[in-house]
Amino acid sequence: MKLLHISDLHLGKRVNEFSMIEDQEYILTKIINIIDEEKPDGLIIAGDVYDKSIPSEEAVKLLDEFLGKIAKRGLQTFIISGNHDSAVKLSFASKIIDVSGIHISPVYDGKVEPFVLEDEHGKVNIYMLPFIKPVNVRAIFPDEEIKDYTDACRVAIEHMQVDKSDRNVLVAHQFVTGAERSESEDITVGGLDNVEADVFDDFDYVALGHIHGPQKIKRESIRYSGTPLKYSFSEARHHKSVTVVELGAKAAGDKSGACVEIRTVPLVPKRDMRVLKGSYMELTDKANYEGTNLEDYMQITLTDEEDIMDAMAKLRLIYPNLMKLGYDNKRTRSSNASLEVTAVEKKTPLELFSEFYEAQNNQPMSDEQVEFTRKIIEDIWGN
């Protein structure tokens, strides 16, 4: 059984006020080409199909065209909503669309029935779990103990009643502990949204979305495919790709994992994201940029000690898609050195608020204030 795994299309996204729609249309065509070459049995799109819960018209049109091309090929496709999507809007008319082989997960209601594909080795069950929060699962299973995101996923999976003697695939959109983030993702301070990888032990392959860099978590078959395009300069060195998963045979009654082979097919964008650093004279010297793709999206750091007048406008005569411009010199290094850098991701929201309160009031919060703040934080983050 061959499956293609992609995620985090973020259709309609703007990066530094640049619309990515043309780049997204280009890369979706590349994905269609890969589908034609690989001839998979199924395509997985693991959430964040859109960049916003209310997508733009051009984003909706682009998805419609993409899914239309897939439907014409008769390819079974499995789509879940991510944290950027509206599960209700994304799954509109899904029961009608279902007959075309495009399967979109509904709003999570505690019932996740697998779609079944078959090959010469038997069944492959595809379970689709859209992005969930503890508050969502707690409302459906009030008798279960659900303290955090790990508990929420564990309970949701337990109620799937997965038969481990079959080959099973889970499509999910969560932040699994150990994943390496990038700047273009939504970050929850304090690790509140972490899910432990052990909750996925029942599955032969876990197709994840949410993290933008392609990577494995704990074992080869728990994987993020990453975004098909770079959406921040922290991703400049990423190698974007489509993940190809081939599920081999699993002996009857065998509850150990099936044989899984994984490889990637590179995705080359219309415009790359590049980071350049040097003096104004160096970066405007034709010998240093000739032969490069000047249409790439650029982040440029000038090393000149004196600011260059109208530097952005002047540099855009050579690099029209210059997105960000900064300086690295004695002045900026001195300024940066005076700023205390704090690893906020390692602190809980309560710790951060407590530090802020103490800095503003020259005294720590009382026990009553701490408990009151804790309850508010839990309500906001749905824990």
Side-chain angles (χ1 to χ4, degrees):
M1 179 72 63
K2 182 190 287 189
L3 303 171
L4 298 190
H5 170 197
I6 61 174
S7 73
D8 295 270
L9 306 181
H10 286 280
L11 300 182
K13 188 173 183 66
R14 301 182 70 86
V15 179
N16 295 301
E17 299 309 313
F18 282 68
S19 171
M20 302 298 289
I21 204 75
E22 184 180 343
D23 303 84
Q24 291 171 335
E25 182 178 11
Y26 179 89
I27 212 68
L28 290 181
T29 299
K30 292 292 185 182
I31 291 172
I32 290 293
N33 293 341
I34 292 172
I35 289 171
D36 289 340
E37 292 168 4
E38 292 287 342
K39 295 180 171 51
D41 300 291
L43 171 67
I44 291 170
I45 306 178
D48 279 358
V49 177
Y50 292 122
D51 190 56
K52 295 181 178 179
S53 58
I54 303 177
S56 64
E57 290 185 10
E58 57 184 2
V60 174
K61 182 180 177 182
L62 183 54
L63 179 63
D64 181 55
E65 292 173 350
F66 179 59
L67 294 182
K69 292 175 183 177
I70 290 173
K72 286 180 181 179
R73 286 159 171 78
L75 180 62
Q76 296 294 306
T77 301
F78 306 94
I79 306 172
I80 65 168
S81 54
N83 57 301
H84 279 250
D85 300 308
S86 163
V88 175
K89 291 182 174 65
L90 184 64
S91 61
F92 172 75
S94 59
K95 293 188 184 301
I96 299 172
I97 298 171
D98 206 56
V99 298
S100 68
I102 308 294
H103 312 295
I104 304 175
S105 63
V107 176
Y108 181 71
D109 62 1
K111 300 174 183 176
V112 180
E113 296 294 331
F115 286 90
V116 180
L117 300 180
E118 293 197 31
D119 63 8
E120 68 274 18
H121 301 303
K123 296 194 304 180
V124 174
N125 301 315
I126 311 288
Y127 291 85
M128 298 196 293
L129 181 65
F131 176 71
I132 54 173
K133 296 181 178 181
V135 67
N136 306 136
V137 185
R138 196 182 295 125
I140 297 167
F141 302 110
D143 296 331
E144 297 277 7
E145 184 179 3
I146 301 172
K147 304 185 298 295
D148 52 28
Y149 277 73
T150 295
D151 285 342
C153 287
R154 173 184 54 78
V155 169
I157 289 169
E158 285 177 353
H159 284 269
M160 293 178 190
Q161 298 182 331
V162 177
D163 183 353
K164 291 183 67 175
S165 63
D166 287 336
R167 291 175 295 170
N168 299 293
V169 173
L170 177 69
V171 187
H173 190 94
Q174 304 288 161
F175 173 52
V176 181
T177 302
E180 183 179 345
R181 293 186 186 269
S182 59
E183 291 176 1
S184 57
E185 297 145 10
D186 288 344
I187 294 177
T188 302
V189 292
L192 285 176
D193 55 351
N194 284 22
V195 175
E196 296 299 326
D198 292 346
V199 302
F200 304 126
D201 283 350
D202 289 350
F203 298 94
D204 299 286
Y205 183 76
V206 182
L208 292 169
H210 190 40
I211 300 301
H212 291 185
Q215 57 195 283
K216 65 177 182 179
I217 305 295
K218 190 175 179 182
R219 56 181 164 97
E220 289 288 338
S221 53
I222 301 178
R223 298 188 71 88
Y224 287 102
S225 64
T227 54
L229 289 171
K230 299 174 184 179
Y231 289 134
S232 73
F233 288 102
S234 66
E235 301 170 48
R237 294 188 178 182
H238 286 187
H239 298 287
K240 301 301 185 179
S241 60
V242 171
T243 303
V244 182
V245 184
E246 298 196 51
L247 292 167
K250 191 173 189 177
D254 184 5
K255 294 188 177 182
S256 61
C259 177
V260 181
E261 294 183 4
I262 299 167
R263 56 188 170 86
T264 58
V265 179
L267 285 170
V268 180
K270 183 173 185 177
R271 304 177 185 89
D272 203 353
M273 275 196 172
R274 290 197 283 142
V275 177
L276 300 180
K277 184 176 181 179
S279 69
Y280 178 79
M281 292 301 293
E282 289 171 337
L283 295 175
T284 55
D285 185 342
K286 189 174 182 180
N288 290 329
Y289 65 75
E290 195 171 34
T292 66
N293 186 358
L294 299 179
E295 295 295 318
D296 285 345
Y297 296 114
M298 301 288 189
Q299 173 182 291
I300 290 179
T301 302
L302 293 176
T303 56
D304 302 86
E305 290 300 329
E306 299 295 329
D307 288 0
I308 305 298
M309 185 175 296
D310 297 326
M312 180 74 83
K314 291 176 179 176
L315 287 167
R316 277 182 173 164
L317 294 175
I318 300 171
Y319 310 102
N321 291 316
L322 172 59
M323 285 184 166
K324 297 178 71 176
L325 177 65
Y327 283 85
D328 181 14
N329 52 31
K330 291 179 181 178
R331 173 177 55 82
T332 60
R333 285 193 292 273
S334 175
S335 175
N336 290 338
S338 66
L339 298 176
E340 181 180 355
V341 179
T342 305
V344 295
E345 289 186 53
K346 296 182 180 179
K347 296 187 177 183
T348 67
L350 182 59
E351 289 172 330
L352 293 169
F353 186 83
S354 297
E355 291 177 3
F356 173 75
Y357 180 93
E358 187 167 349
Q360 292 295 309
N361 297 280
N362 295 315
Q363 62 180 357
M365 292 195 294
S366 66
D367 291 343
E368 184 179 3
Q369 288 172 319
V370 169
E371 187 59 30
F372 178 76
T373 305
R374 187 195 309 279
K375 289 180 180 179
I376 291 176
I377 290 170
E378 288 178 352
D379 288 341
I380 292 172
W381 268 275
N383 284 303

